[in-house]
Structure formats: C-alpha cells, structure tokens
Amino acid sequence: MDLVQTIISASHGDKNAQVAVGDMYRDDKGVPQDYQAAMDWYLKAAEQGHADSHYNIGVLYDYGRAQHWGAYDYDHGVSQDYTKAAEWYTKTADQGYELAKKALEDLKKPKPGVAVE
C-alpha cells in the first residue's frame, strides 16, 4: 500500500493503517519525523484494541521522544513517563504480547538518575 492510500485508510478508521502511519511518523519514512503525530495515530488504533499500538505507545513513554531540529530542542514530542509506559505495556502484556512482558520487567530495574521509591 502506498503512502497516500495508507493515510486515507488510516483516516477512515483502519487500525492497521493507523499503526502503519504512526510508524511512518516515528521512523521518518515518507513524512517528517514527528513523535506526537505517531502517538496520535497509535492512540486511534489503541481505541480499537490494536495490541501493537498499545506496545508502541508504551515505548514512546518509556524512552520519551522529543523533537530536535538542528541545534535547537523544542518542547514537542512525547515526554518520558515510566508510569504511563507501564500502563500501556500492561494492556499489551495482558494480551500475551511477550515484548511487553519483557518491557515491564525492564521498567522495574533501577535507571540512572531515577530515584527508587
């Protein structure tokens, strides 16, 4: 499926196409990289129960993805939030998604610069 057709299908509610468009924005494939746009498309697919989108949302929160242009950082993108990452990983892990189970285990490990409660 080409870029235009994928975006049209995503706009009409095709959850697989929504994830594909999210991936394009995340990976800078055919559209300018935009982590917030990727998040928006993943959320649309997540509303329809798409497990991959749940995992992808967890990853964006887990690692935090800010936008960078040249020497400037802009407050645009997805802020790192381990609590939200865990919530999304759990939704996916509950569906048997092994990568999400591993990601949840990794979240429990100490991280440099993050206080343990």
Side-chain angles (χ1 to χ4, degrees), residues 3 20-35 38 42 67-69:
L3 173 65
V21 172
D23 291 346
M24 287 186 233
Y25 276 108
R26 182 196 64 207
D27 299 335
D28 192 19
K29 302 285 185 189
V31 294
Q33 189 170 53
D34 185 332
Y35 294 115
Y42 291 149
Q67 296 299 128
H68 304 283
W69 289 282

Side-chain angles (χ1 to χ4, degrees), residues 14-76:
D14 180 325
K15 63 185 176 184
N16 294 319
Q18 290 168 340
V19 171
V21 172
D23 291 346
M24 287 186 233
Y25 276 108
R26 182 196 64 207
D27 299 335
D28 192 19
K29 302 285 185 189
V31 294
Q33 189 170 53
D34 185 332
Y35 294 115
Q36 185 57 56
M39 175 69 84
D40 294 342
W41 283 107
Y42 291 149
L43 286 168
K44 290 175 189 291
E47 289 173 3
Q48 299 181 67
H50 196 286
D52 287 347
S53 67
H54 293 170
Y55 177 77
N56 292 343
I57 293 166
V59 170
L60 288 175
Y61 279 127
D62 192 357
Y63 294 95
R65 298 290 188 217
Q67 296 299 128
H68 304 283
W69 289 282
Y72 302 97
D73 290 341
Y74 293 88
D75 187 21
H76 182 72

